[in-house]
Amino acid sequence: MTRIQFAQKAVITDGDKVLLVRKSSDDPHNPCRWELPGGRLKDTEGLDDHVKREVLEETGLFVRPGRLIHMWSWEMLWDGEPVRVVAVSRYCDLESWESIAPAREKDDFIDDQMWVARSDLLSMDIVPSQISTVEFVASDTL
């Protein structure tokens, strides 16, 4: 039986720029590709707390979750077990520019982060499952 997991990705903007994180070369699924910060829900988390935790762990930034952008799903093997991930992307506002050092988990496989101009988003090597969100964000005038 395929296990189902829920994930959220955060679209954090600063004017014309969007924050992306890069998967490391060790990532077994999307090595060296860029993606939106975020990840899978832990058992007892609320949805807002979940996306806040993921962004803080991966980027060191504090955010306020906002509106839903897109929903998608994909299947993958995780530790040899089939998993169906259902994911959403949401706009998130920075609470402040103050940050802490990211506390990335080993299985995040993230090695960098970068603010990217909306006009350059479509030229980035984006994780395929997030392309629809990135296309929308690149054209959204907020």
Side-chain angles (χ1 to χ4, degrees):
M1 177 180 229
T2 301
R3 187 168 49 121
I4 296 176
Q5 290 191 322
F6 178 75
Q8 292 188 85
K9 294 294 181 176
V11 175
I12 306 162
T13 60
D14 175 30
D16 188 46
K17 294 185 178 179
V18 177
L19 185 63
L20 296 178
V21 294
R22 185 178 63 199
K23 299 300 248 174
S24 71
S25 60
D26 297 334
D27 181 87
H29 305 288
N30 292 288
C32 302
R33 286 191 159 146
W34 292 90
E35 70 171 346
L36 300 161
R40 289 177 297 236
L41 179 74
K42 292 189 177 175
D43 293 337
T44 60
E45 283 182 307
L47 295 178
D48 286 354
D49 289 340
H50 164 228
V51 75
K52 287 178 185 182
R53 176 189 55 79
E54 284 289 348
V55 170
L56 184 61
E57 282 179 5
E58 293 184 4
T59 70
L61 295 169
F62 296 88
V63 296
R64 186 174 44 261
R67 69 180 168 101
L68 181 73
I69 300 170
H70 186 68
M71 183 176 190
W72 68 99
S73 69
W74 71 94
E75 292 186 15
M76 61 186 274
L77 287 178
W78 187 259
D79 292 333
E81 178 185 354
V83 174
R84 179 167 200 75
V85 181
V86 176
V88 298
S89 53
R90 300 171 68 176
Y91 279 113
C92 291
D93 296 321
L94 282 175
E95 288 193 349
S96 77
W97 276 102
E98 290 184 42
S99 65
I100 62 171
R104 297 173 180 148
E105 295 183 6
K106 186 176 190 252
D107 66 354
D108 288 338
F109 296 102
I110 293 173
D111 70 2
D112 199 8
Q113 65 190 49
M114 177 172 63
W115 290 96
V116 178
R118 284 179 196 260
S119 59
D120 294 334
L121 282 174
L122 300 179
S123 67
M124 303 295 291
D125 187 12
I126 301 290
V127 169
S129 65
Q130 296 173 42
I131 291 174
S132 291
T133 292
V134 169
E135 288 174 342
F136 176 83
V137 170
S139 65
D140 190 15
T141 58
L142 292 176

